[in-house]
Amino acid sequence: MRRPDQQTTTRPTTDPAPGTGTGADADATVDAPPGKGEDQDRHPAGDLTTEAVLAPYLRGQAADFLRSLRLHHEHSSPADAGGHDAAAATRALRRAARRISGSLHTFRAALDPHWADQLRAELAWLSGVLAREHAYAGRLTRLVEALHQLSGPALPAARGARAAGETSASDAQGRAALGVGAARAGALLERRLTLARTRSHSAALQALGSSRFHAVADAVALLASDVPLAPGTTGRTPEALLEPAERAEQRLLAAVAALPPADTEPYNEAQDAAWHQARLLLRLHRYAHEVVLGAAAPALASCGHALDLHRDAVEAAAAAAAAARTPRIAPATAYALGVLHADQRHEVEAARAVFRETWPYATALTAP
């Protein structure tokens, strides 16, 4: 594993992307190489074995999962339903689930493969179910706040119009039209996203009470005391962990190298998937770093945060566009939703710019 400020002059090889990593929490940082930096004393090279490093890590994450589940049950009574403590417990539950699932993917060769694949799939299902309610709530807040800012006196759309050579009269006309439609657009978005959030909340409660979830919880409880390692894993050299971690890093570098250049058109939604993929691979790289070095370094915190904001803006823009397709809405409402969609796509581009500015492997962004 390489220091983030260490440049690479060759383009990394690409591998298929894993189907892990769901949810809406900001969660992506990395990284310092093994044998260097502050984390060197945590796992000396001779101790980088599955039984000395990977097994304790998985047991610790399993314990966090069970602790969060207990807190969720304690704070999910009818009197406290939807409270801050319950939401915090749900986020902690998802964080532990993602770390277990990501580690099972990266270090699959060191584990019982059938067990790892099965548990990883179930944890991905659980994390996805629990993420939706939080995602819809955050999306609604983001869009309503953006509408409020757009319909105010300092209208970003008007600034864009001036840059395009429009007259001040056109600015005033656009601002007035947006003011008329903004309230109705906000109400429409609130109806749509509140309904989606309510349905997601019901689905999450149903999932947490299902036999499928209880089977997942039982499997994690067993993991807290016993990690099924692959035959012959005991006593293997550090390469059993270092090589998978290096492959996770190479997949990330390849994905970033393949990102579209900065001078592409701003409304090309077809490019969003490549950025989402980079975000998921960055998350897997972080988890591999945590396993091998014992802690996550903050070197890629800004990059990860930018990719989280990118994901949020993409999904918010899609929600605005979907609302604009509602049959028989007033032209002013459709206009406001169109401006809102454009605003969120500008936020997408801003997040991409932040990522490029803070990405420490400079040559990965300019590889041929």
Side-chain angles (χ1 to χ4, degrees):
M1 299 176 70
R2 180 185 297 104
R3 283 188 185 275
D5 58 358
Q6 178 182 346
Q7 293 188 347
T8 177
T9 58
T10 59
R11 179 167 179 149
T13 57
T14 57
D15 284 322
T20 60
T22 56
D25 287 345
D27 189 22
T29 59
V30 275
D31 168 325
K36 299 180 181 179
E38 296 178 352
D39 293 316
Q40 179 177 2
D41 294 334
R42 292 183 178 271
H43 295 317
D47 292 339
L48 283 175
T49 61
T50 53
E51 60 267 33
V53 174
L54 179 59
Y57 179 85
L58 288 173
R59 287 197 296 266
Q61 294 302 323
D64 287 347
F65 180 99
L66 298 173
R67 188 180 306 111
S68 302
L69 180 59
R70 183 181 68 252
L71 292 174
H72 185 275
H73 288 328
E74 292 175 356
H75 296 293
S76 295
S77 63
D80 191 36
H84 174 76
D85 291 336
T90 300
R91 288 193 296 271
L93 186 67
R94 289 175 47 227
R95 281 195 296 268
R98 289 197 304 267
R99 279 168 168 76
I100 296 171
S101 178
S103 300
L104 295 181
H105 171 81
T106 300
F107 302 103
R108 180 180 181 272
L111 301 163
D112 180 315
H114 177 74
W115 167 83
D117 292 344
Q118 186 175 35
L119 181 56
R120 181 166 63 91
E122 292 303 285
L123 288 172
W125 161 76
L126 176 62
S127 182
V129 169
L130 296 179
R132 293 188 189 108
E133 179 183 1
H134 172 82
Y136 283 124
R139 200 169 304 153
L140 177 59
T141 299
R142 180 187 184 95
L143 288 170
V144 170
E145 290 179 352
L147 267 178
H148 178 72
Q149 294 175 359
L150 289 169
S151 59
L155 182 63
R159 292 198 300 269
R162 284 194 294 272
E166 296 290 337
T167 65
S168 58
S170 295
D171 295 346
Q173 183 180 5
R175 187 159 45 247
L178 182 57
V180 171
R184 292 180 180 179
L188 176 60
L189 288 167
E190 186 167 1
R191 287 195 303 271
R192 290 172 62 93
L193 293 176
T194 299
L195 176 60
R197 179 186 179 184
T198 301
R199 290 174 174 171
S200 298
H201 179 73
S202 299
L205 292 178
Q206 184 178 4
L208 291 173
S210 67
S211 58
R212 182 178 183 180
F213 170 75
H214 288 298
V216 176
D218 290 343
V220 175
L222 291 175
L223 176 61
S225 59
D226 179 35
V227 178
L229 301 177
T233 299
T234 302
R236 288 180 63 182
T237 62
E239 283 69 22
L241 296 182
L242 292 177
E243 290 178 359
E246 178 68 18
R247 286 195 295 271
E249 182 183 63
Q250 290 300 313
R251 284 193 293 267
L252 169 63
L253 294 175
V256 173
L259 289 174
D263 57 354
T264 55
E265 60 272 26
Y267 296 105
N268 191 341
E269 284 88 349
Q271 298 174 355
D272 294 341
W275 289 87
H276 294 331
Q277 181 69 3
R279 175 179 173 271
L280 297 182
L281 291 173
L282 179 56
R283 173 175 287 174
L284 286 178
H285 181 31
R286 176 190 180 180
Y287 300 159
H289 182 279
E290 290 181 358
V291 171
V292 172
L293 295 183
L300 293 185
S302 297
C303 299
H305 183 60
L307 291 179
D308 288 331
L309 292 178
H310 178 274
R311 184 268 323 273
D312 293 343
V314 166
E315 294 179 348
R325 292 191 291 269
T326 302
R328 296 183 297 278
I329 61 173
T333 306
Y335 173 74
L337 290 170
V339 173
L340 181 60
H341 173 268
D343 172 73
Q344 292 303 300
R345 290 306 304 184
H346 284 303
E347 291 295 317
V348 169
E349 291 304 307
R352 293 179 181 179
V354 171
F355 176 84
R356 292 187 177 99
E357 292 169 0
T358 57
W359 177 249
Y361 297 99
T363 56
L365 288 174
T366 58

